[in-house]
């Protein structure tokens, strides 16, 4: 049994890869694959499986961005791995199996929106974890009064 767990862990670690942030320069998030383990505010609005509302900035976009950064840092097992003044990439690690999910964020100050994507790196279903993660961030930012 121990061998199976170790083998499974090694295979999952080898399969992990971080999506590129090159598309974030154009205010675009990576696309969601067809599997249901990803949500994105830039998915098609009719794609109920993947679409999630973007964060609508209320007030100063820089204050909303700073608040988002603080809220992400406070989340358990979530770390920011890369950021610029308008993009952010974080990784969330699951407690038991140590699966890593990627969170990509792009601020569109002109449209007063923060686009966000959360996706599992491996597997097919995430049991709604990625959607719940984004909604938790939304709730925290609303409490701070920086988004509608």
């Amino acid at each position: 049994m121990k061998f199976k767990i170790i083998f499974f862990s090694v295979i999952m670690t080898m399969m992990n890869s971080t999506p590129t942030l090159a598309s974030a320069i154009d205010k675009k998030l990576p696309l969601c694959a067809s599997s249901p383990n990803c949500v994105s505010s830039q998915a098609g609005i009719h794609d109920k499986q993947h679409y999630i509302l973007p964060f609508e900035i209320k007030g100063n976009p820089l204050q909303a961005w700073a608040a988002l950064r603080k809220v992400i840092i406070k989340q358990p097992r979530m770390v920011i791995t890369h950021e610029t003044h308008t993009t952010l990439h974080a990784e969330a690690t699951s407690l038991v199996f140590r699966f890593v999910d990627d969170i990509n964020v792009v601020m569109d100050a002109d449209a007063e929106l923060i686009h966000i994507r959360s996706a599992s790196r491996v597997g097919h279903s995430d049991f709604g974890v990625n959607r719940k993660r984004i909604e938790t961030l939304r709730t925290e930012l609303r409490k701070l009064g920086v988004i509608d």
Side-chain angles (χ1 to χ4, degrees):
M1 183 65 179
K2 277 187 176 180
F3 176 75
K4 288 181 181 179
I5 293 172
I6 292 170
F7 178 76
F8 181 75
S9 298
V10 168
I11 294 299
M12 293 315 235
T13 301
M14 290 171 40
M15 291 175 61
N16 284 347
S17 63
T18 304
T20 178
L21 289 175
S23 61
I25 294 170
D26 298 326
K27 298 181 184 173
K28 299 283 184 207
L29 297 170
L31 297 174
C32 286
S34 61
S35 58
N37 61 2
C38 174
V39 293
S40 173
S41 63
Q42 290 182 341
I45 195 163
H46 298 292
D47 182 357
K48 296 189 186 313
Q49 183 175 0
H50 297 112
Y51 182 73
I52 195 161
L53 287 170
F55 299 159
E56 295 182 32
I57 300 170
K58 186 164 87 174
N60 185 329
L62 296 178
Q63 288 177 335
W65 189 255
L68 173 65
R69 187 180 185 289
K70 288 178 185 175
V71 168
I72 287 175
I73 290 170
K74 289 181 181 179
Q75 299 302 306
R77 297 177 311 283
M78 192 181 298
V79 296
I80 296 173
T81 59
H82 176 80
E83 65 181 306
T84 69
H85 64 285
T86 60
T87 66
L88 184 143
H89 177 267
E91 294 177 352
T93 305
S94 67
L95 184 60
V96 178
F97 290 110
R98 313 297 293 162
F99 294 128
V100 178
D101 294 347
D102 292 295
I103 298 92
N104 300 86
V105 188
V106 177
M107 181 174 60
D108 185 346
D110 296 334
E112 296 182 335
L113 294 174
I114 295 176
H115 286 286
I116 191 157
R117 172 187 182 268
S118 183
S120 302
R121 289 186 185 175
V122 297
H124 181 74
S125 178
D126 67 349
F127 303 103
V129 169
N130 286 297
R131 185 170 299 278
K132 182 179 176 187
R133 176 181 298 122
I134 300 307
E135 292 305 336
T136 297
L137 294 175
R138 184 186 316 276
T139 298
E140 292 299 315
L141 291 171
R142 281 183 175 153
K143 285 180 187 174
L144 295 173
V146 295
I147 67 168
D148 284 327

